[in-house]
Amino acid sequence: LEPRSLLAKAAASRAAENDDDDDHLGLSRRRRRLKPQQQGTSSSRRRKNQKPVPVRSVAVASDASRLVCGDDQADAYSFQRGSSLKTYDLEHVIEAAHCDGSGRTFILKTAISPDAQLLVTTSSDKTAKLWRLPPPRYDDQAPPPAMMNFALERTLAQHQRWVWDACFSADSAYLVTASSDHSARLWDLHSGAAIRYYSGHTLAVTCCALNDSSA
């Protein structure tokens, strides 16, 4: 290996040994100097005179009606497919979807349920949040009720460290989350209860998958 590759490999090894969330993401010291976020703070104000914010995750609905991305300032952007079916237009921003008061909270994963009715965002604030997605709407349609307009439906908050990944069951009734606390959990989304706990890992669990399709 080239010296540079050896250094990168050594750095990755140290990150794994330390099980440090910042090292897993490769965050710079610049992030540690960011001012604390406030829930609901305007994105435009927070980003004034700042460089573009990296997008951490993108999710596309199973019917391709919308896509949602989450960024390193914990904002989630929803884009609806345009009437031409060739473009996606910004329809809503969930500002400061997660906030732990540290000044460096960010979204790690976004996923849309198979029935395209729920959005999950996972974060460095140790939680996963479920948001109610409205049905796709076009110019000649009335807006959906406020309770269906990207409303926060539930916060799943049993993990002890960052929640890196999440995936829905085929029927959109269950969710699996993976965390730096060395565990994964299976959640019943109707009750919000963690009904199964998967332990035994010695390092961070950073991704998960669920195959429960009847096909």
Side-chain angles (χ1 to χ4, degrees):
L1 293 174
E2 295 292 330
R4 183 173 298 176
S5 299
L6 289 172
L7 288 173
K9 187 174 182 180
S13 177
R14 287 196 301 273
E17 291 174 358
N18 295 334
D19 193 25
D20 184 86
D21 291 320
D22 283 1
D23 287 341
H24 282 309
L25 264 186
L27 295 176
S28 67
R29 292 184 179 181
R30 179 185 61 83
R31 178 169 298 284
R32 295 180 172 88
R33 295 197 300 268
L34 290 177
K35 294 181 179 179
Q37 291 170 312
Q38 295 180 353
Q39 193 82 20
T41 301
S42 168
S43 295
S44 59
R45 290 203 307 272
R46 286 193 281 113
R47 293 179 179 173
K48 188 176 182 180
N49 300 323
Q50 291 186 14
K51 294 181 179 179
V53 178
V55 169
R56 183 67 55 184
S57 179
V58 177
V60 181
S62 57
D63 59 2
S65 60
R66 64 167 46 91
L67 64 85
V68 180
C69 62
D71 69 14
D72 273 6
Q73 285 196 339
D75 295 331
Y77 293 80
S78 178
F79 297 83
Q80 180 178 297
R81 186 168 60 179
S83 55
S84 68
L85 305 183
K86 295 181 179 180
T87 61
Y88 283 83
D89 303 318
L90 180 64
E91 62 171 338
H92 189 78
V93 181
I94 306 174
E95 297 181 348
H98 294 260
C99 183
D100 64 5
S102 69
R104 53 190 183 97
T105 311
F106 30 86
I107 291 174
L108 300 173
K109 178 74 174 186
T110 57
I112 298 174
S113 60
D115 62 8
Q117 295 184 15
L118 290 172
L119 165 71
V120 64
T121 57
T122 74
S123 172
S124 58
D125 71 352
K126 308 175 186 178
T127 71
K129 291 187 177 183
L130 290 164
W131 310 84
R132 175 62 59 179
L133 293 176
R137 181 176 64 89
Y138 299 100
D139 293 339
D140 58 345
Q141 295 177 317
M147 62 173 16
M148 296 179 61
N149 192 22
F150 299 91
L152 177 61
E153 185 147 305
R154 197 177 295 279
T155 299
L156 308 178
Q158 287 190 16
H159 283 294
Q160 303 304 307
R161 298 192 69 176
W162 294 8
V163 183
W164 285 89
D165 198 9
C167 57
F168 286 95
S169 61
D171 61 1
S172 303
Y174 299 90
L175 185 79
V176 176
T177 55
S179 170
S180 290
D181 63 9
H182 306 179
S183 74
R185 283 172 167 77
L186 175 66
W187 305 83
D188 180 338
L189 298 185
H190 177 72
S191 66
I195 59 175
R196 190 162 296 178
Y197 176 79
Y198 304 95
S199 61
H201 292 280
T202 58
L203 292 174
V205 183
T206 58
C207 61
C208 58
L210 179 62
N211 182 10
D212 67 335
S213 175
S214 60

